Coordinates of all heavy atoms in Angstrom, one line a residue:
I13 N 59.9 -71.6 1.5 CA 58.9 -70.7 1.8 C 58.3 -71.0 3.2 O 58.1 -72.1 3.6 CB 57.6 -71.0 0.7 CG1 58.2 -70.7 -0.7 CG2 56.4 -70.2 1.1 CD1 57.2 -71.0 -1.8
F14 N 58.0 -69.9 3.9 CA 57.5 -70.0 5.3 C 56.0 -69.5 5.2 O 55.7 -68.4 4.9 CB 58.3 -69.1 6.2 CG 57.9 -69.2 7.6 CD1 58.4 -70.3 8.4 CD2 57.2 -68.3 8.2 CE1 58.1 -70.4 9.7 CE2 56.8 -68.4 9.6 CZ 57.3 -69.5 10.3
Y15 N 55.2 -70.4 5.8 CA 53.7 -70.2 5.8 C 53.4 -69.9 7.4 O 53.8 -70.6 8.2 CB 52.9 -71.3 5.3 CG 53.0 -71.4 3.8 CD1 54.0 -72.2 3.2 CD2 52.2 -70.7 3.0 CE1 54.1 -72.3 1.9 CE2 52.3 -70.8 1.7 CZ 53.3 -71.5 1.0 OH 53.4 -71.6 -0.3
S16 N 52.5 -68.9 7.5 CA 52.1 -68.5 8.8 C 51.1 -69.5 9.4 O 50.7 -69.3 10.6 CB 51.5 -67.1 8.9 OG 50.5 -67.0 8.1
G17 N 50.6 -70.4 8.7 CA 49.7 -71.4 9.1 C 49.8 -72.7 8.5 O 50.1 -72.8 7.2
D18 N 49.5 -73.8 9.1 CA 49.7 -75.0 8.5 C 48.6 -75.3 7.5 O 48.8 -76.1 6.5 CB 49.7 -76.3 9.6 CG 48.8 -76.0 10.8 OD1 47.9 -75.2 10.6 OD2 49.0 -76.7 11.8
T19 N 47.4 -74.8 7.7 CA 46.4 -74.9 6.7 C 46.8 -74.4 5.3 O 46.6 -74.9 4.3 CB 45.1 -74.2 7.1 OG1 44.7 -74.8 8.4 CG2 43.9 -74.4 6.2
M20 N 47.4 -73.2 5.3 CA 47.9 -72.6 4.1 C 49.0 -73.5 3.4 O 49.1 -73.7 2.2 CB 48.5 -71.2 4.4 CG 47.4 -70.3 4.7 SD 47.9 -68.5 5.2 CE 49.4 -68.3 4.4
A21 N 49.9 -74.1 4.2 CA 50.9 -74.9 3.7 C 50.4 -76.2 3.1 O 50.8 -76.6 2.1 CB 51.9 -75.3 4.9
L22 N 49.3 -76.7 3.6 CA 48.6 -77.9 3.0 C 48.0 -77.5 1.7 O 48.1 -78.3 0.7 CB 47.5 -78.4 4.0 CG 48.1 -79.2 5.2 CD1 46.9 -79.4 6.2 CD2 48.7 -80.5 4.8
G23 N 47.4 -76.4 1.5 CA 46.9 -75.9 0.3 C 48.1 -75.7 -0.8 O 48.0 -76.0 -1.9
A24 N 49.1 -75.2 -0.3 CA 50.3 -74.9 -1.1 C 50.8 -76.2 -1.7 O 51.3 -76.3 -2.8 CB 51.4 -74.1 -0.4
L25 N 50.9 -77.3 -0.9 CA 51.4 -78.5 -1.3 C 50.6 -79.0 -2.6 O 51.2 -79.4 -3.5 CB 51.2 -79.7 -0.2 CG 52.2 -79.7 0.8 CD1 51.9 -80.9 1.8 CD2 53.6 -79.9 0.2
R26 N 49.3 -78.8 -2.5 CA 48.6 -79.2 -3.7 C 48.9 -78.4 -4.9 O 49.0 -78.9 -6.0 CB 47.1 -79.1 -3.3 CG 46.2 -79.6 -4.5 CD 44.6 -79.5 -4.2 NE 43.9 -79.8 -5.4 CZ 43.4 -81.0 -5.6 NH1 43.6 -81.9 -4.7 NH2 42.7 -81.2 -6.7
A27 N 49.0 -77.0 -4.7 CA 49.3 -76.1 -5.8 C 50.6 -76.5 -6.4 O 50.8 -76.5 -7.6 CB 49.2 -74.7 -5.3
F28 N 51.6 -76.8 -5.5 CA 53.0 -77.0 -6.1 C 52.9 -78.4 -6.8 O 53.6 -78.6 -7.8 CB 54.0 -77.1 -4.9 CG 54.4 -75.7 -4.4 CD1 54.3 -75.5 -3.0 CD2 54.7 -74.8 -5.2 CE1 54.6 -74.3 -2.5 CE2 55.1 -73.5 -4.8 CZ 55.0 -73.3 -3.4
H29 N 52.1 -79.3 -6.2 CA 52.0 -80.7 -6.9 C 51.4 -80.5 -8.3 O 51.9 -81.1 -9.3 CB 51.2 -81.6 -6.1 CG 51.0 -82.9 -6.7 ND1 51.9 -83.9 -6.9 CD2 49.8 -83.4 -7.2 CE1 51.4 -85.0 -7.5 NE2 50.2 -84.7 -7.8
E30 N 50.4 -79.7 -8.4 CA 49.7 -79.5 -9.6 C 50.5 -78.8 -10.7 O 50.5 -79.0 -11.9 CB 48.4 -78.7 -9.4 CG 47.3 -79.5 -8.8 CD 46.1 -78.7 -8.4 OE1 46.1 -77.5 -8.6 OE2 45.1 -79.4 -8.0
S31 N 51.5 -77.9 -10.1 CA 52.4 -77.3 -10.9 C 53.7 -78.0 -11.3 O 54.6 -77.5 -11.8 CB 52.8 -75.9 -10.3 OG 51.7 -75.1 -10.2
R32 N 53.8 -79.2 -10.7 CA 55.0 -80.2 -10.8 C 56.2 -79.5 -10.2 O 57.3 -79.7 -10.7 CB 55.1 -80.5 -12.3 CG 53.9 -81.2 -12.9 CD 54.2 -82.0 -14.1 NE 53.3 -82.8 -14.8 CZ 52.0 -83.0 -14.5 NH1 51.4 -82.5 -13.5 NH2 51.2 -83.8 -15.2
I33 N 56.0 -78.8 -9.2 CA 57.2 -78.3 -8.5 C 57.4 -79.2 -7.3 O 56.5 -79.5 -6.5 CB 56.9 -76.8 -7.9 CG1 56.7 -75.9 -9.1 CG2 58.0 -76.4 -6.9 CD1 56.3 -74.5 -8.7
E34 N 58.6 -79.8 -7.3 CA 58.8 -80.8 -6.2 C 59.5 -80.2 -4.9 O 60.3 -79.4 -5.0 CB 59.8 -81.9 -6.9 CG 59.1 -82.6 -7.9 CD 59.9 -83.8 -8.5 OE1 60.8 -84.3 -7.7 OE2 59.7 -84.3 -9.5
I35 N 58.9 -80.7 -3.9 CA 59.3 -80.3 -2.6 C 60.0 -81.5 -1.9 O 59.3 -82.6 -1.9 CB 58.1 -79.8 -1.7 CG1 57.4 -78.6 -2.4 CG2 58.6 -79.4 -0.3 CD1 56.1 -78.2 -1.8
P36 N 61.2 -81.4 -1.4 CA 62.0 -80.2 -1.2 C 63.0 -80.0 -2.3 O 64.0 -79.2 -2.0 CB 62.7 -80.5 0.1 CG 62.9 -82.0 0.2 CD 61.6 -82.5 -0.6
D37 N 63.0 -80.8 -3.5 CA 64.0 -80.7 -4.4 C 64.1 -79.3 -5.0 O 65.2 -78.8 -5.2 CB 63.7 -81.7 -5.5 CG 63.8 -83.1 -5.0 OD1 64.6 -83.3 -4.0 OD2 63.3 -84.0 -5.7
S38 N 62.8 -78.6 -5.3 CA 62.9 -77.3 -5.9 C 62.9 -76.2 -4.9 O 63.5 -75.2 -5.0 CB 61.7 -77.1 -6.8 OG 61.8 -78.1 -7.9
I39 N 62.1 -76.3 -3.8 CA 62.0 -75.5 -2.7 C 61.7 -76.1 -1.4 O 61.3 -77.3 -1.5 CB 60.8 -74.4 -3.0 CG1 59.4 -75.2 -3.1 CG2 61.0 -73.5 -4.1 CD1 58.3 -74.2 -3.0
D40 N 62.0 -75.5 -0.4 CA 61.7 -76.0 1.0 C 60.5 -75.3 1.5 O 60.1 -74.2 1.1 CB 62.8 -75.7 2.0 CG 64.1 -76.5 1.7 OD1 64.0 -77.6 1.1 OD2 65.2 -76.0 2.0
L41 N 59.7 -76.0 2.3 CA 58.5 -75.5 2.9 C 58.4 -75.7 4.3 O 58.6 -76.9 4.8 CB 57.3 -76.2 2.1 CG 55.9 -75.6 2.4 CD1 55.1 -75.8 1.0 CD2 55.2 -76.3 3.4
I42 N 58.1 -74.6 5.1 CA 58.0 -74.7 6.6 C 56.7 -73.9 6.9 O 56.4 -72.9 6.3 CB 59.3 -74.1 7.3 CG1 60.5 -74.8 6.9 CG2 59.0 -74.1 8.8 CD1 61.7 -74.1 7.4
A43 N 56.0 -74.4 8.0 CA 54.8 -73.7 8.5 C 54.8 -73.5 9.9 O 55.5 -74.3 10.6 CB 53.5 -74.5 8.0
V44 N 54.1 -72.5 10.4 CA 53.9 -72.4 11.8 C 52.8 -73.5 12.0 O 51.7 -73.5 11.5 CB 53.3 -71.1 12.2 CG1 52.8 -71.0 13.6 CG2 54.3 -69.9 12.0
G45 N 53.2 -74.5 12.9 CA 52.2 -75.5 13.2 C 51.6 -75.4 14.5 O 52.2 -75.2 15.5
N46 N 50.2 -75.2 14.5 CA 49.6 -75.0 15.8 C 48.2 -75.7 15.9 O 47.5 -75.7 16.9 CB 49.3 -73.6 16.1 CG 48.6 -72.8 15.0 OD1 48.1 -73.4 14.2 ND2 48.6 -71.5 15.1
N47 N 47.8 -76.4 14.8 CA 46.5 -77.1 15.0 C 46.3 -78.4 14.1 O 45.5 -79.1 14.5 CB 45.3 -76.1 14.8 CG 45.4 -75.5 13.4 OD1 46.1 -75.9 12.4 ND2 44.7 -74.4 13.2
L48 N 47.1 -78.5 13.1 CA 46.9 -79.7 12.3 C 48.0 -80.6 12.3 O 48.5 -81.1 11.2 CB 46.6 -79.2 10.8 CG 45.3 -78.3 10.6 CD1 45.3 -77.9 9.1 CD2 44.1 -79.2 11.0
K49 N 48.5 -80.9 13.5 CA 49.8 -81.7 13.6 C 49.7 -83.0 12.8 O 50.6 -83.3 12.1 CB 50.0 -81.9 15.1 CG 51.4 -82.6 15.4 CD 51.6 -82.8 16.8 CE 52.8 -83.7 17.0 NZ 53.0 -84.0 18.4
D50 N 48.6 -83.7 13.0 CA 48.5 -85.0 12.4 C 48.5 -84.8 10.9 O 49.1 -85.7 10.1 CB 47.3 -85.8 12.8 CG 47.4 -86.2 14.4 OD1 48.4 -86.2 14.9 OD2 46.3 -86.3 15.0
Q51 N 47.8 -83.9 10.4 CA 47.7 -83.8 8.9 C 49.1 -83.3 8.3 O 49.5 -83.8 7.2 CB 46.6 -82.7 8.5 CG 45.3 -83.2 8.8 CD 44.2 -82.2 8.4 OE1 44.5 -81.2 7.8 NE2 43.0 -82.5 8.8
C52 N 49.8 -82.5 9.0 CA 51.2 -82.1 8.5 C 52.1 -83.3 8.5 O 53.0 -83.4 7.7 CB 51.8 -80.9 9.4 SG 50.9 -79.4 9.0
E53 N 51.9 -84.1 9.6 CA 52.7 -85.3 9.8 C 52.5 -86.3 8.6 O 53.5 -87.0 8.2 CB 52.4 -85.9 11.1 CG 53.5 -86.7 11.6 CD 53.2 -87.1 13.1 OE1 52.5 -86.3 13.9 OE2 53.6 -88.2 13.5
V54 N 51.2 -86.5 8.1 CA 51.0 -87.6 7.2 C 50.8 -87.0 5.7 O 50.5 -87.8 4.8 CB 49.7 -88.3 7.5 CG1 49.9 -89.0 8.9 CG2 48.5 -87.5 7.5
S55 N 50.9 -85.7 5.5 CA 50.8 -85.1 4.1 C 52.0 -85.7 3.4 O 53.0 -86.2 3.9 CB 50.8 -83.6 4.2 OG 52.0 -83.2 4.6
F56 N 51.9 -85.5 2.0 CA 53.1 -85.9 1.2 C 53.5 -84.8 0.3 O 52.7 -84.3 -0.5 CB 52.8 -87.2 0.3 CG 53.9 -87.6 -0.4 CD1 54.9 -88.3 0.2 CD2 54.1 -87.4 -1.7 CE1 56.0 -88.8 -0.4 CE2 55.2 -87.7 -2.4 CZ 56.1 -88.4 -1.8
P57 N 54.7 -84.3 0.6 CA 55.6 -84.7 1.5 C 55.1 -84.1 2.9 O 54.4 -83.2 2.9 CB 56.9 -84.1 1.2 CG 56.6 -82.9 0.3 CD 55.3 -83.3 -0.3
S58 N 55.6 -84.8 4.0 CA 55.3 -84.3 5.4 C 55.8 -82.9 5.5 O 56.8 -82.5 4.9 CB 55.8 -85.3 6.4 OG 57.1 -85.4 6.4
I59 N 55.1 -82.0 6.2 CA 55.4 -80.6 6.4 C 56.2 -80.4 7.6 O 55.7 -80.7 8.7 CB 54.2 -79.7 6.3 CG1 53.4 -79.9 5.0 CG2 54.5 -78.3 6.5 CD1 52.1 -79.2 4.9
S60 N 57.3 -79.7 7.4 CA 58.2 -79.3 8.6 C 57.4 -78.0 9.2 O 56.9 -77.2 8.6 CB 59.6 -78.8 8.1 OG 60.3 -79.9 7.4
V61 N 57.4 -78.1 10.6 CA 56.8 -77.0 11.3 C 57.5 -76.4 12.4 O 58.3 -77.0 13.0 CB 55.3 -77.4 11.9 CG1 54.4 -77.9 10.7 CG2 55.6 -78.5 12.8
V62 N 57.3 -75.1 12.7 CA 57.8 -74.5 13.9 C 56.5 -74.6 14.7 O 55.5 -74.0 14.5 CB 58.1 -73.0 13.7 CG1 58.5 -72.4 15.0 CG2 59.3 -73.0 12.8
Y63 N 56.5 -75.4 15.8 CA 55.3 -75.7 16.6 C 55.1 -74.6 17.6 O 56.1 -74.4 18.5 CB 55.4 -77.0 17.2 CG 54.2 -77.3 18.1 CD1 52.9 -77.5 17.4 CD2 54.2 -77.3 19.4 CE1 51.8 -77.7 18.2 CE2 53.1 -77.6 20.2 CZ 51.9 -77.7 19.6 OH 50.7 -77.9 20.3
L64 N 54.0 -73.9 17.6 CA 53.8 -72.9 18.7 C 52.6 -73.4 19.5 O 51.5 -73.7 19.0 CB 53.3 -71.6 18.0 CG 54.4 -70.9 17.2 CD1 53.7 -69.7 16.5 CD2 55.5 -70.5 18.1
P65 N 52.7 -73.5 20.8 CA 51.7 -74.0 21.6 C 50.6 -72.9 21.8 O 50.6 -72.2 22.9 CB 52.3 -74.4 23.0 CG 53.6 -73.6 23.0 CD 54.0 -73.4 21.5
I66 N 49.7 -72.6 21.0 CA 48.8 -71.5 20.9 C 48.0 -71.5 22.2 O 47.8 -70.4 22.8 CB 47.9 -71.5 19.7 CG1 48.9 -71.2 18.5 CG2 46.9 -70.4 19.8 CD1 49.6 -69.9 18.4
E67 N 47.4 -72.6 22.6 CA 46.6 -72.6 23.8 C 47.4 -72.3 25.1 O 46.8 -71.5 25.9 CB 46.0 -74.1 24.0 CG 45.0 -74.5 22.9 CD 45.6 -75.0 21.7 OE1 46.9 -75.2 21.6 OE2 44.9 -75.2 20.7
D68 N 48.6 -72.7 25.2 CA 49.5 -72.3 26.3 C 49.7 -70.8 26.3 O 49.7 -70.1 27.3 CB 50.7 -73.0 26.3 CG 50.7 -74.5 26.6 OD1 49.6 -75.0 27.1 OD2 51.6 -75.3 26.3
L69 N 50.0 -70.2 25.1 CA 50.2 -68.8 25.0 C 48.9 -68.0 25.4 O 49.0 -67.0 26.2 CB 50.5 -68.4 23.5 CG 51.9 -68.8 23.1 CD1 52.0 -68.7 21.6 CD2 53.0 -68.0 23.7
A70 N 47.8 -68.4 25.0 CA 46.6 -67.7 25.3 C 46.4 -67.8 26.8 O 46.0 -66.8 27.4 CB 45.4 -68.4 24.6
A71 N 46.5 -69.0 27.4 CA 46.3 -69.1 28.9 C 47.3 -68.2 29.7 O 46.9 -67.5 30.6 CB 46.5 -70.6 29.3
K72 N 48.5 -68.2 29.2 CA 49.5 -67.2 29.9 C 49.2 -65.8 29.6 O 49.3 -65.0 30.6 CB 50.9 -67.6 29.4 CG 51.3 -68.9 30.0 CD 52.7 -69.4 29.7 CE 53.0 -70.7 30.2 NZ 54.4 -71.1 30.3
C73 N 48.7 -65.4 28.6 CA 48.3 -64.0 28.3 C 47.1 -63.7 29.2 O 47.1 -62.6 29.8 CB 47.9 -63.8 26.8 SG 49.4 -63.8 25.8
L74 N 46.2 -64.5 29.2 CA 45.0 -64.2 30.2 C 45.4 -64.1 31.6 O 45.0 -63.2 32.4 CB 43.9 -65.3 30.1 CG 43.2 -65.3 28.8 CD1 42.2 -66.4 28.6 CD2 42.4 -64.0 28.6
L75 N 46.4 -65.0 32.1 CA 46.8 -64.9 33.4 C 47.6 -63.5 33.7 O 47.4 -62.8 34.7 CB 47.8 -66.1 33.8 CG 48.4 -66.1 35.2 CD1 47.4 -66.2 36.2 CD2 49.5 -67.2 35.3
L76 N 48.4 -63.1 32.7 CA 49.1 -61.7 32.9 C 48.0 -60.6 32.9 O 48.1 -59.7 33.7 CB 50.0 -61.6 31.6 CG 51.3 -62.3 31.6 CD1 52.0 -62.0 30.3 CD2 52.2 -61.9 32.9
L77 N 47.0 -60.7 32.1 CA 46.0 -59.7 32.1 C 45.3 -59.7 33.4 O 45.0 -58.7 34.0 CB 45.0 -60.0 30.9 CG 43.8 -59.0 30.8 CD1 44.2 -57.6 30.6 CD2 42.9 -59.4 29.7
Y78 N 44.9 -60.9 33.9 CA 44.2 -61.0 35.3 C 45.1 -60.3 36.3 O 44.6 -59.6 37.2 CB 43.9 -62.5 35.5 CG 43.4 -62.7 36.9 CD1 42.0 -62.4 37.2 CD2 44.1 -63.2 37.9 CE1 41.5 -62.6 38.4 CE2 43.6 -63.4 39.2 CZ 42.3 -63.1 39.4 OH 41.7 -63.3 40.6
E79 N 46.4 -60.7 36.4 CA 47.2 -60.1 37.3 C 47.3 -58.7 37.3 O 47.4 -57.9 38.3 CB 48.6 -60.8 37.3 CG 48.6 -62.3 37.8 CD 50.0 -63.0 37.5 OE1 50.9 -62.4 37.0 OE2 50.1 -64.1 38.1
Q80 N 47.4 -58.1 36.1 CA 47.4 -56.7 35.8 C 46.1 -56.0 36.4 O 46.2 -54.9 37.0 CB 47.5 -56.3 34.3 CG 48.9 -56.6 33.7 CD 50.0 -55.6 34.2 OE1 49.7 -54.6 34.7 NE2 51.2 -56.1 34.3
M81 N 45.0 -56.6 36.2 CA 43.7 -56.2 36.7 C 43.6 -56.2 38.2 O 43.2 -55.2 38.9 CB 42.5 -56.8 36.0 CG 42.4 -56.6 34.5 SD 41.3 -57.7 33.6 CE 39.8 -57.6 34.6
I82 N 44.0 -57.3 38.8 CA 43.8 -57.5 40.3 C 44.9 -56.7 41.0 O 44.6 -56.0 41.9 CB 43.9 -59.0 40.5 CG1 42.7 -59.7 39.9 CG2 43.8 -59.2 42.0 CD1 41.3 -59.3 40.3
Y83 N 46.1 -56.8 40.6 CA 47.2 -56.2 41.4 C 47.6 -54.9 40.9 O 48.5 -54.2 41.5 CB 48.4 -57.2 41.4 CG 48.0 -58.5 42.0 CD1 48.0 -59.7 41.2 CD2 47.7 -58.6 43.4 CE1 47.7 -60.9 41.7 CE2 47.3 -59.8 43.9 CZ 47.3 -61.1 43.1 OH 46.9 -62.2 43.6
K84 N 47.1 -54.5 39.8 CA 47.4 -53.1 39.1 C 48.9 -52.8 39.0 O 49.3 -51.7 39.3 CB 46.7 -52.0 40.2 CG 45.3 -52.3 40.4 CD 44.4 -51.3 39.9 CE 42.9 -51.5 40.4 NZ 42.1 -52.2 39.6
H85 N 49.5 -53.8 38.6 CA 50.9 -53.6 38.2 C 51.0 -52.7 36.9 O 50.3 -53.0 36.0 CB 51.7 -54.9 37.9 CG 51.7 -55.8 39.0 ND1 51.8 -57.2 39.0 CD2 51.6 -55.6 40.4 CE1 51.9 -57.7 40.1 NE2 51.8 -56.8 41.0
N86 N 51.8 -51.7 37.0 CA 52.0 -50.9 35.8 C 53.3 -51.2 35.2 O 53.7 -50.5 34.2 CB 52.0 -49.4 36.3 CG 50.7 -48.9 36.8 OD1 49.6 -49.4 36.3 ND2 50.6 -48.1 37.7
L87 N 54.0 -52.2 35.6 CA 55.3 -52.5 35.0 C 55.0 -53.5 33.8 O 54.1 -54.3 33.8 CB 56.2 -53.2 36.0 CG 56.6 -52.4 37.2 CD1 57.3 -53.3 38.2 CD2 57.4 -51.2 36.9
P88 N 55.9 -53.4 32.8 CA 55.7 -54.3 31.6 C 56.0 -55.7 32.2 O 56.9 -55.9 33.0 CB 56.6 -53.8 30.6 CG 57.3 -52.7 31.1 CD 56.8 -52.3 32.5
D89 N 55.3 -56.7 31.7 CA 55.7 -58.1 32.0 C 55.8 -58.9 30.7 O 55.3 -58.5 29.7 CB 54.5 -58.6 32.9 CG 55.0 -59.7 33.8 OD1 56.1 -60.2 33.6 OD2 54.1 -60.0 34.8
S90 N 56.5 -59.9 30.8 CA 56.7 -60.8 29.7 C 56.8 -62.3 30.1 O 57.1 -62.5 31.3 CB 57.9 -60.4 28.8 OG 59.1 -60.6 29.6
I91 N 56.6 -63.1 29.1 CA 56.8 -64.6 29.5 C 57.5 -65.2 28.4 O 57.6 -64.7 27.2 CB 55.3 -65.3 29.6 CG1 54.5 -65.0 28.4 CG2 54.6 -64.8 30.9 CD1 53.3 -65.9 28.3
T92 N 58.1 -66.4 28.6 CA 58.7 -67.1 27.6 C 58.1 -68.5 27.4 O 57.8 -69.1 28.4 CB 60.3 -67.3 28.0 OG1 60.9 -66.1 28.1 CG2 61.0 -68.1 27.0
V93 N 57.8 -68.7 26.2 CA 57.1 -70.1 25.9 C 58.0 -70.8 25.0 O 58.4 -70.3 23.9 CB 55.7 -69.8 25.2 CG1 55.0 -71.1 24.9 CG2 54.9 -69.0 26.2
P94 N 58.4 -72.1 25.3 CA 59.3 -72.8 24.4 C 58.6 -73.2 23.1 O 57.4 -73.5 23.1 CB 59.6 -74.0 25.2 CG 58.6 -74.1 26.2 CD 58.1 -72.7 26.5
I95 N 59.3 -73.0 22.0 CA 58.8 -73.5 20.8 C 59.7 -74.6 20.3 O 60.8 -74.7 20.7 CB 58.7 -72.4 19.7 CG1 60.1 -71.8 19.5 CG2 57.7 -71.3 20.1 CD1 60.1 -70.8 18.2
S96 N 59.3 -75.3 19.2 CA 60.2 -76.4 18.7 C 60.0 -76.4 17.2 O 59.1 -76.1 16.6 CB 59.9 -77.7 19.3 OG 58.5 -78.1 19.1
Y97 N 61.1 -76.8 16.5 CA 61.1 -77.0 15.1 C 61.1 -78.5 14.9 O 61.8 -79.2 15.4 CB 62.4 -76.5 14.4 CG 62.4 -76.7 13.0 CD1 61.5 -76.2 12.1 CD2 63.5 -77.5 12.4 CE1 61.6 -76.5 10.7 CE2 63.5 -77.8 11.1 CZ 62.6 -77.3 10.2 OH 62.7 -77.6 8.9
I98 N 60.1 -78.9 14.1 CA 60.0 -80.3 13.7 C 60.3 -80.5 12.3 O 59.5 -80.2 11.5 CB 58.5 -80.8 14.1 CG1 58.1 -80.6 15.5 CG2 58.3 -82.3 13.7 CD1 56.7 -80.7 15.9
A99 N 61.5 -81.0 12.1 CA 62.0 -81.2 10.6 C 61.2 -82.4 10.1 O 61.2 -83.5 10.7 CB 63.4 -81.3 10.7
R100 N 60.7 -82.2 8.8 CA 60.1 -83.3 8.2 C 60.5 -83.2 6.7 O 61.4 -82.5 6.3 CB 58.6 -83.2 8.3 CG 58.1 -83.5 9.7 CD 56.6 -83.7 9.8 NE 56.2 -83.9 11.1 CZ 55.3 -83.0 11.7 NH1 54.9 -82.0 11.1 NH2 54.9 -83.3 12.9
E101 N 59.9 -84.0 5.8 CA 60.3 -84.0 4.4 C 60.4 -82.7 3.7 O 61.1 -82.5 2.8 CB 59.4 -85.0 3.7 CG 59.6 -86.5 4.2 CD 58.5 -87.4 3.8 OE1 57.4 -86.9 3.4 OE2 58.8 -88.6 3.7
S102 N 59.4 -81.9 4.0 CA 59.3 -80.6 3.2 C 60.6 -79.7 3.4 O 60.8 -78.8 2.6 CB 58.0 -79.8 3.5 OG 58.1 -79.3 4.8
C103 N 61.2 -79.8 4.5 CA 62.5 -79.1 4.8 C 63.2 -79.9 5.8 O 63.2 -79.6 7.0 CB 62.0 -77.6 5.3 SG 63.5 -76.6 5.5
P104 N 63.9 -80.9 5.3 CA 64.7 -81.7 6.2 C 65.8 -80.9 7.0 O 66.4 -80.0 6.4 CB 65.2 -82.9 5.4 CG 64.9 -82.5 3.9 CD 64.0 -81.3 3.9
A105 N 66.1 -81.3 8.2 CA 67.2 -80.7 8.9 C 68.5 -81.1 8.2 O 68.7 -82.2 7.9 CB 67.2 -81.1 10.4
D106 N 69.4 -80.1 8.2 CA 70.7 -80.3 7.8 C 71.4 -81.1 8.8 O 71.3 -80.8 10.0 CB 71.4 -78.9 7.5 CG 72.7 -79.0 6.9 OD1 73.0 -80.0 6.1 OD2 73.5 -78.0 6.9
P107 N 72.1 -82.1 8.5 CA 72.8 -82.9 9.5 C 73.7 -82.2 10.4 O 73.8 -82.5 11.6 CB 73.6 -83.9 8.7 CG 73.0 -84.0 7.4 CD 72.4 -82.6 7.2
G108 N 74.2 -81.0 10.0 CA 75.0 -80.2 10.9 C 74.4 -79.2 11.7 O 74.9 -78.5 12.6
T109 N 73.0 -79.1 11.5 CA 72.2 -78.1 12.2 C 71.8 -78.6 13.6 O 71.3 -79.7 13.7 CB 70.9 -77.7 11.4 OG1 71.4 -77.3 10.1 CG2 70.1 -76.7 12.1
V110 N 72.0 -77.7 14.5 CA 71.4 -78.0 15.8 C 70.1 -77.4 16.0 O 69.8 -76.2 15.8 CB 72.3 -77.4 17.0 CG1 71.9 -77.7 18.3 CG2 73.7 -78.0 16.8
L111 N 69.0 -78.3 16.3 CA 67.7 -77.8 16.5 C 67.3 -77.7 17.9 O 67.8 -78.4 18.8 CB 66.7 -78.7 15.8 CG 67.0 -78.9 14.3 CD1 66.0 -79.9 13.7 CD2 66.8 -77.6 13.6

């Protein structure tokens, strides 16, 4: 199951635990991680995350907007921000998988 936020994934852990659904034996769980890194790391089981640097994304978006306003560029622009997958107990990396 993929959660769009780490807070939702933490709540899901409790619900699965109460329902006696074992993670990752019954299902795998991954979340977009952007604010509760320490909590996802120490939860049981620890939650695997796709880490998005939200603050960096926001800063770069504001810079693009500023440049559009000042220089009046009408061309579309884009940026690339690196993301990373942090495999933990809720969805361990397959030994043959390149991350």
Side-chain angles (χ1 to χ4, degrees):
I13 298 176
F14 185 79
Y15 289 91
S16 61
D18 38 20
T19 303
M20 290 175 26
L22 287 166
L25 277 182
R26 180 179 178 98
F28 288 128
H29 175 74
E30 289 173 354
S31 299
R32 301 200 180 351
I33 297 172
E34 296 191 20
I35 298 170
D37 295 338
S38 299
I39 58 170
D40 291 335
L41 190 144
I42 301 173
V44 171
N46 56 12
N47 57 20
L48 299 173
K49 183 179 177 190
D50 295 337
Q51 290 181 11
C52 289
E53 207 170 325
V54 299
S55 65
F56 184 77
S58 57
I59 299 174
S60 300
V61 297
V62 175
Y63 180 71
L64 298 175
I66 296 297
E67 291 83 9
D68 292 344
L69 287 168
K72 290 182 181 196
C73 287
L74 287 173
L75 180 61
L76 285 174
L77 179 61
Y78 175 77
E79 289 175 353
Q80 290 288 335
M81 291 169 47
I82 298 300
Y83 302 112
K84 310 248 188 266
H85 294 159
N86 292 325
L87 300 174
D89 209 346
S90 65
I91 57 171
T92 302
V93 177
I95 62 168
S96 58
Y97 176 64
I98 302 169
R100 295 192 180 116
E101 296 166 330
S102 70
C103 187
D106 191 17
T109 303
V110 177
L111 300 176

